[in-house]
Amino acid sequence: MTNKNVREVVIDILVSIEKNQAYSNLLLNKMIQKYNLSSKDTGLLTEIVYGTIQRKEALDFILSSFINNKKKVEQWVVVLLRMSIYQMVYLDRIPERAVIFEAVEIAKKRGHKGIASMVNGVLRNIQRNGIPSFEEISDPIERLAVETSHPNWLVKRWIEHFGYEEAKKICEINLIPPEQTARVNLTKTTLDEVLAQLKDKGIEATAGELAPDSIKIGKGNIASSSLFKDGLVTIQDESSMLVGHALGVTKDESILDSCAAPGGKTTHIAELLNNTGSVTSLDLHEHKVKLIAEQVSRLGLTNVTPQVLDSRTASDQFENESFDKILVDAPCSGFGVIRRKPDIKYSKNENDIYQLKNIQLSILNAVAPLLKKGGILVYSTCTVDKEENEEVVAEFLNQHHNYKLDDELSNRLPCKVQPYIKGGTVQILPHYFGSDGFFIASIRKQV
């Protein structure tokens, strides 16, 4: 497939996301398979798709200086202009003349001569005159929102929660692609052995910075390696790995993972148990439970029972006080993983947050009776929103006086994380370690 074709596929993906609110990661994988793209074309496709979504607000700000009324322009043409401007402004290695030539050719093919002429005119204008300065936006919140391409309401909310400087850091790191990290399956191998095998295969990797069982991939695709297929590693972010360690798993324990799909944390817990004890792994959807079972099989784990069940009805299936530990990795807004799923920042609104808070509380309330006295309940989300994190925990504790925040959480997490732990909770913002934004609370049931 030529680069020209790749850019046409980019347009199809971006238009589909705009029209149908399709998920970028799922659509991207589908298109890569459909067109059997080479790794080079896959890299270019991924970079332009994610980059254009990540910078959408900034690109529209630039575009507004060159088009009087964007609403009168066909959607695919706006998408073509956005992705072309993204390449001209934010990518160094593609010559501007090549970007303009390909955009005009696509415009001729998908539209007509008039559209091609308009596209050529806009892009040549940008090439000649440069782009407008974001400093023209006088309101500092709006300027930060546009420059870093986040919804105004979200930036305002983060400033209220964390202050302007911290919110700015969150917005800025959300524009940087995340590093790839993986978890080593210590029931089968060691970290050093995995690093040595990866080196032999030409994949650059080093030990991770946070979790003791993590590695960081510098160059190469570990997901297509034999180490992945043989169950020696699992792709997982380091913040996510901390959740398993927060549980303080010990041999032979019975553990409930109440919102388990796609199974990253379930399999980590099972590995930490070293194939002893049991992990009951629940999810609402059958197809997602199949994904958990596939991962369990790939990793050679024998102590996991995946089950289709709404955790809010778990007390119908399990006796009170039947688990030593419980994980509620709750459904959330996902604002901590915007770097991986940039469409999240446009698809969510404040109402979603309030609805999610109710769901999160209802899950916690439902599983709380199932925990043994003295046991640990870990609540985690991949978001940075206080409403879904600190406020959910505070409300849960207010309703359950037999639960207390667990001060021993800091003993179970790495030294680097400890300065951020407050009582039994920790909010990891994405710029702290370059990992995903994550919230973890450890709550202990009183004896």
Side-chain angles (χ1 to χ4, degrees), residues 117-132:
S117 174
M118 187 271 274
V119 166
N120 186 52
V122 169
L123 297 180
R124 295 273 176 214
N125 244 335
I126 291 172
Q127 190 183 32
R128 267 194 305 272
N129 302 319
I131 59 170

Side-chain angles (χ1 to χ4, degrees), residues 2-12 48 76-77 79-81 83-84 87 98-113 115-117 119 123:
T2 65
N3 285 350
K4 179 186 168 188
N5 298 124
V6 168
R7 286 169 173 84
E8 286 182 62
V9 179
V10 171
I11 294 178
D12 289 341
I48 300 177
W76 71 266
V77 181
V79 165
L80 172 63
L81 286 167
M83 69 172 234
S84 302
Q87 294 169 76
V99 174
I100 297 172
F101 174 78
E102 292 200 10
V104 171
E105 290 301 305
I106 291 171
K108 280 184 202 163
K109 192 173 171 183
R110 289 180 83 120
H112 51 71
K113 216 174 166 183
I115 292 176
S117 174
V119 166
L123 297 180

Side-chain angles (χ1 to χ4, degrees), residues 26 34 49 77 96 106 136 226 263-264 347 446:
L26 299 179
K34 181 178 174 184
V49 167
V77 181
E96 288 185 350
I106 291 171
E136 290 173 11
S226 57
S347 63
Q446 301 304 293

Side-chain angles (χ1 to χ4, degrees), residues 361 365 391-403:
L361 269 169
N365 290 334
E391 290 188 25
V392 164
V393 172
E395 203 159 325
F396 174 78
L397 291 173
N398 196 34
Q399 293 173 17
H400 299 268
H401 294 148
N402 55 338
Y403 276 85

Side-chain angles (χ1 to χ4, degrees), residues 316-387:
D316 298 341
Q317 293 270 322
F318 305 103
E319 297 287 327
N320 280 353
E321 300 184 3
S322 50
F323 294 99
D324 296 298
K325 282 164 187 167
I326 296 178
L327 170 61
V328 177
D329 185 47
C332 70
S333 56
F335 292 141
V337 294
I338 284 175
R339 288 192 295 165
R340 296 180 195 282
K341 300 174 184 174
D343 26 333
I344 282 176
K345 60 187 175 184
Y346 308 118
S347 63
K348 295 278 193 291
N349 58 49
E350 283 189 297
N351 282 337
D352 292 328
I353 291 171
Y354 302 125
Q355 285 173 14
L356 283 162
K357 182 182 178 184
N358 290 333
I359 295 170
Q360 290 153 355
L361 269 169
S362 63
I363 295 171
L364 279 172
N365 290 334
V367 301
L370 308 182
L371 186 66
K372 291 179 184 174
K373 287 186 179 71
I376 290 173
L377 170 63
V378 166
Y379 172 75
S380 64
T381 71
C382 60
T383 194
V384 297
D385 196 279
K386 285 184 187 288
E387 186 96 23

